[in-house]
Amino acid sequence: METTDLSTLPVPLHPGLPMLGNTLAFLRNPLGTLHTLQRQHERLVHLRIGGRHQYLVLRPEDVKHVIQENHRNYGRSPAFEILKIFLGNGLLTSDGDFWRRQRRLAQPAFHRQRLAALTTTMIAETANWIVELKQQRSKQPVNMSQAFMDVTMRIVCKTLFGSDTTGKLDGLSAALDDLNYLANKKMLSPLRFPYSWPTPDNVRSKRARTQVDTFIYGVIEQRRQRDEDKDDLLGMLLSAEDEDTGEKMSDQQLRDECVTIFSAGHETTAVSMAWTIYLLSQHPDVLMRLQAESRTVLGDAVTPSPDLFRSLTYTLQVVQESLRLYPPAWIMSRRAHNPDSIGPYTIPAGDTALISPYLLHRDPTNWPNPDRFDPDRFVPGGPKDQLHSYAYLPFGGGPRLCIGNQFALMEMQILLAMLVRSFELKATPNQRIIPKPLITLRPNQSIWIGLS
Ligand code: HEM
């Protein structure tokens, strides 16, 4: 009797154009193309994008296999090489043993107990921001996309560098913003001039880089000279020590991790907040429940005690549901070092596995009425808890799970609860907002909201 080697079944190939494969479909309408792939394929689909073979993984259990169970077989995809020019060799861009060591060193800075100190900074910065919003308050709607970019920028700078930003925050923010913007632009552009060429963007990004580096190296030097031990993220990274070797991070590594934390943590959180406030403006019933919770739990104190935020259960559900519908990291990629079996199929060595949190979060087999905004999906013990753990992964999973996930959830709860406690929100009529998938999943235009 003949036997079939199941692991050699060809992965279904999605039809595309000669030479270009599926590149144009992805460039023109990435989210629509993802939905089509989900409707037409079951487990794995072979795509040809940008001259590369890429395999979209559709089932949560297979996603778990790629990013957790067999994670050692996968590395960063080539796109991360571009980010390295700007971020250096930090947690986001590095791989292998170097990444493992850095992750071990950085992890304690994000532990729950350490988060408490950072939470105090988040609350204080949010309180200042609310005062400013109140001063600006007029009959005109406020550009909340910009407002969230501003406040998350201040929060990330203050939690990283603490009081060392005093008097320097504006210049540092502008330089970091420039560096991040130009890195993203280069990642998305089909036309990439070498970094050594003096194009206007290259000149601008080098200037921003010099400014950022001068600031960070200056703070590191000062802290080392004075033997200062501070409670901010940089302080925690400075004192981090390898358990086995006693080694600490070099100045260069510290710089790379600071810029990485800024880049990975700033825009993702700001964009998620913009989506959340947009969803609330469209769902007054949810907004009312949220306001009731924040007013009851937080009371009137200008800077509520950090412990109170842990009782904001409905606020957390709203944040989780918003991250389900609009996960900023809408697609992730991994490059296979060796061939990998996924059920009866094989992902060949050197090719890329694609994972789309956006698609997994809207899979109708797991999420009834997937496009509906319903925070009760996340009620403890409710529908979400019955699903496969990889059916919901706004922060990724496995060993490369977002290191800032607790930080981000806490920051979003603080911003949201303190905002809705202080204002009535009014949607701007006829704003048709749709997702625009760039490096993060942004709203296609700024979200304007009336605050009264
Ligand atoms: C809503 C906000 C955020 C979202 C949705 C998000 C999402 C993610 C995702 C999906 C990954 C994994 C990428 C992959 O596996 O390829 C990741 C990694 C990472 N995130 Fe976040 N993130 C957020 C906020 C933050 C914050 C606030 C920080 C820091 C304060 C941060 C720092 C990082 C770092 C350093 C990594 C790389 C970790 C590693 O590979 O070891 N993120 N993030």
Side-chain angles (χ1 to χ4, degrees):
M1 204 174 79
E2 265 187 30
T3 53
T4 316
D5 179 358
L6 282 180
S7 67
T8 58
L9 278 186
V11 181
L13 177 72
H14 192 68
L17 297 170
M19 310 284 285
L20 290 171
N22 314 99
T23 311
L24 282 187
F26 257 92
L27 279 178
R28 283 196 190 125
N29 182 6
L31 300 182
T33 305
L34 284 175
H35 281 299
T36 306
L37 296 170
Q38 190 177 54
R39 276 195 301 274
Q40 296 184 358
H41 301 275
E42 272 203 9
R43 189 161 189 181
L44 204 62
V45 47
H46 178 181
L47 304 162
R48 285 154 304 139
I49 307 170
R52 292 182 188 281
H53 295 278
Q54 316 218 9
Y55 294 80
L56 179 68
V57 185
L58 291 162
R59 289 195 192 165
E61 57 273 28
D62 294 336
V63 170
K64 182 175 182 187
H65 171 82
V66 171
I67 63 179
Q68 183 173 335
E69 292 159 352
N70 199 22
H71 72 92
R72 280 183 187 265
N73 185 47
Y74 290 90
R76 284 301 192 211
S77 63
F80 283 84
E81 287 305 310
I82 299 162
L83 271 188
K84 269 191 185 170
I85 302 174
F86 301 88
L87 306 185
N89 210 20
L91 279 176
L92 201 61
T93 52
S94 59
D95 244 338
D97 288 343
F98 183 84
W99 167 78
R100 253 182 292 284
R101 177 178 172 273
Q102 285 299 101
R103 179 88 189 201
R104 255 200 334 263
L105 285 174
Q107 193 72 59
F110 291 90
H111 276 169
R112 264 176 185 268
Q113 306 91 297
R114 303 308 303 246
L115 204 58
L118 305 180
T119 305
T120 310
T121 308
M122 292 179 194
I123 296 169
E125 285 306 314
T126 306
N128 292 340
W129 178 67
I130 299 277
V131 169
E132 284 167 25
L133 284 177
K134 281 186 176 161
Q135 284 163 354
Q136 279 175 30
R137 184 164 51 185
S138 69
K139 292 200 170 53
Q140 298 302 318
V142 175
N143 180 345
M144 291 307 292
S145 299
Q146 189 55 52
F148 285 125
M149 282 287 181
D150 293 345
V151 67
T152 52
M153 165 73 81
R154 271 190 249 164
I155 289 177
V156 75
C157 287
K158 279 278 169 130
T159 47
L160 267 169
F161 307 115
S163 55
D164 287 319
T165 56
T166 307
K168 297 178 185 154
L169 198 56
D170 287 346
L172 176 67
S173 307
L176 279 167
D177 215 17
D178 247 12
L179 201 61
N180 203 39
Y181 167 78
L182 292 162
N184 285 1
K185 190 170 166 190
K186 211 169 189 89
M187 287 264 282
L188 294 171
S189 168
L191 193 65
R192 291 183 195 129
F193 297 113
Y195 195 53
S196 53
W197 291 16
T199 63
D201 276 355
N202 283 346
V203 171
R204 195 169 135 206
S205 87
K206 278 181 187 164
R207 195 182 312 132
R209 205 194 146 115
T210 308
Q211 226 176 316
V212 168
D213 290 2
T214 309
F215 172 82
I216 300 180
Y217 286 130
V219 175
I220 294 172
E221 195 190 328
Q222 184 181 316
R223 290 198 190 181
R224 286 203 199 282
Q225 271 176 6
R226 297 190 194 158
D227 209 8
E228 281 176 335
D229 187 11
K230 293 202 178 176
D231 228 4
D232 48 34
L233 280 173
L234 176 61
M236 296 181 207
L237 296 177
L238 264 163
S239 57
E241 225 175 64
D242 192 302
E243 270 180 17
D244 301 331
T245 61
E247 239 182 295
K248 292 187 163 196
M249 286 191 211
S250 68
D251 289 4
Q252 165 98 52
Q253 283 160 353
L254 286 163
R255 176 269 175 209
D256 290 352
E257 294 308 351
C258 287
V259 179
T260 296
I261 289 169
F262 167 81
S263 175
H266 168 234
E267 189 187 314
T268 40
T269 313
V271 165
S272 299
M273 284 307 303
W275 278 120
T276 309
I277 217 71
Y278 170 67
L279 286 164
L280 290 172
S281 74
Q282 307 298 309
H283 296 85
D285 49 329
V286 176
L287 177 59
M288 266 172 65
R289 268 178 81 180
L290 194 68
Q291 280 177 320
E293 181 180 80
S294 65
R295 286 171 185 162
T296 311
V297 173
L298 302 183
D300 299 329
V302 178
T303 52
S305 149
D307 296 340
L308 294 176
F309 288 88
R310 301 231 172 261
S311 311
L312 293 171
T313 45
Y314 190 63
T315 311
L316 179 60
Q317 286 172 228
V318 169
V319 166
Q320 288 169 319
E321 175 68 343
S322 165
L323 286 167
R324 180 186 71 82
L325 283 171
Y326 300 110
W330 60 283
I331 199 149
M332 305 188 295
S333 56
R334 296 282 193 275
R335 191 180 208 178
H337 297 310
N338 293 303
D340 186 23
S341 299
I342 306 275
Y345 306 118
T346 299
I347 297 183
D351 288 348
T352 303
L354 287 179
I355 291 147
S356 170
Y358 173 85
L359 204 56
L360 288 158
H361 293 180
R362 292 187 188 234
D363 184 343
T365 52
N366 285 324
W367 305 93
N369 277 324
D371 297 338
R372 217 178 98 214
F373 177 59
D374 177 10
D376 282 330
R377 295 179 204 269
F378 287 89
V379 75
K384 146 72 177 64
D385 289 347
Q386 315 310 317
L387 297 178
H388 190 284
S389 55
Y390 279 69
Y392 179 70
L393 61 165
F395 296 105
R400 297 206 80 137
L401 174 77
C402 172
I403 203 169
N405 67 348
Q406 295 300 326
F407 180 114
L409 288 174
M410 182 49 79
E411 181 178 2
M412 289 183 71
Q413 283 184 82
I414 291 172
L415 284 168
L416 192 56
M418 288 178 67
L419 183 77
V420 301
R421 181 183 72 151
S422 312
F423 297 100
E424 296 302 327
L425 312 185
K426 196 159 172 286
T428 309
N430 307 324
Q431 265 209 126
R432 194 175 127 61
I433 307 292
I434 52 167
K436 186 174 175 188
L438 299 172
I439 292 190
T440 55
L441 190 64
R442 284 175 165 235
N444 66 329
Q445 50 176 298
S446 295
I447 312 275
W448 293 81
I449 302 281
L451 300 179
S452 56

